[in-house]
Amino acid sequence: MATDTQDGYGLVSKTFHWVMALLVGWQFLKFFDRIDEGEHWVGQTLVSWHISIGVLLLVMAVTRFGWALNQRGQRPLNDPAMDFYIKAGHGLIYATLILLPLTGIMLMVGAGFGVTAFGVELIAKGEKIGWAQSLGSLHSPLAWILAALVIGHIAMALFHQFVRRDGTLDRML
Ligand code: HEM
Ligand code: HEM
């Protein structure tokens, strides 16, 4: 079924979840630029898509957030005692998924480089902009925060699957 039910996520939510998990994993390869300033195979091939995939993720994150709001009355129910913490955790993931590409765009615009995604110029090159550079400096800390959130998220999913055995993972598979 395309829409969510209280027993599990529907095709739309599952597709968003797993396609975006793959793309976010791809974006994390940017951390490898810290090794030899990206002068290696990963840096020269996969990471060269960073800006295009980042812009795509911005569109997907906003659309997915709208979808989550639209489906909120019919999604799988959480343990009531944990409901607030689960929603807060997922909310933080959504917030960083939206702020990361926005601050990435600020980095590029602030440096005067403009933004081109998949060969299409979205923002032209121009002068350096100080305030945009300042906002852009939040990009790296946000990337580390998202990495920590995702590690915690995966640990919880595996905990529910293999320790609690409560079928939480099944509803996203
Ligand atoms: C969800 C989307 C995105 C994720 C998960 C992401 C993730 C990352 C990560 C992990 C780094 C390495 C940070 C570090 O080593 O400390 C990085 C750096 C960078 N990202 Fe993104 N990014 C995203 C979107 C974007 C977008 C849309 C742009 C530009 C339009 C962008 C531009 C950059 C730039 C220029 C750097 C290098 C920053 C520097 O060396 O100071 N990113 N990003
Ligand atoms: C970058 C990687 C990931 C991100 C950004 C992410 C994000 C999210 C978000 C925002 C939700 C809330 C439901 C929604 O709105 O779609 C969710 C649910 C879920 N995720 Fe992930 N996820 C990632 C990777 C993973 C991985 C690798 C696993 C499995 C090991 C996983 C397992 C789950 C499960 C089981 C749920 C349902 C939780 C529930 O119903 O309470 N996720 N994920």
Side-chain angles (χ1 to χ4, degrees):
M1 198 197 287
T3 52
D4 300 339
T5 67
Q6 294 198 342
D7 296 326
Y9 293 90
L11 190 62
V12 175
S13 297
K14 285 180 187 168
T15 306
F16 269 129
H17 182 270
W18 293 111
V19 171
M20 287 181 71
L22 183 80
L23 294 178
V24 169
W26 190 337
Q27 291 298 78
F28 282 152
L29 296 177
K30 186 81 179 158
F31 282 126
F32 285 93
D33 275 8
R34 288 172 175 264
I35 301 168
D36 290 340
E37 298 184 349
E39 296 293 321
H40 45 69
W41 184 82
V42 173
Q44 283 158 356
T45 55
L46 300 177
V47 175
S48 58
W49 291 89
H50 191 75
I51 292 173
S52 298
I53 294 175
V55 170
L56 176 63
L57 275 168
L58 175 60
V59 176
M60 292 183 82
V62 171
T63 317
R64 176 176 173 189
F65 186 57
W67 177 253
L69 290 180
N70 176 274
Q71 297 291 301
R72 69 184 183 283
Q74 57 193 64
R75 295 202 130 183
L77 296 173
N78 299 316
D79 170 1
M82 296 305 292
D83 188 57
F84 171 79
Y85 300 100
I86 294 166
K87 286 196 174 131
H90 291 164
L92 279 175
I93 294 180
Y94 272 111
T96 43
L97 278 179
I98 292 171
L99 288 174
L100 259 166
L102 290 178
T103 52
I105 290 169
M106 289 300 142
L107 260 178
M108 297 299 287
V109 172
F113 294 148
V115 177
T116 299
F118 301 105
V120 179
E121 185 180 77
L122 301 175
I123 302 174
K125 290 180 182 158
E127 300 287 304
K128 287 190 178 180
I129 305 172
W131 62 265
Q133 274 179 316
S134 304
L135 287 177
S137 66
L138 295 173
H139 190 71
S140 171
L142 280 168
W144 286 98
I145 290 172
L146 180 63
L149 287 170
V150 167
I151 290 170
H153 177 72
I154 294 173
M156 288 311 291
L158 297 179
F159 173 75
H160 279 275
Q161 178 70 6
F162 296 112
V163 180
R164 287 268 185 89
R165 296 176 193 274
D166 58 9
T168 303
L169 188 56
D170 296 331
R171 53 199 203 185
M172 193 47 103
L173 288 177

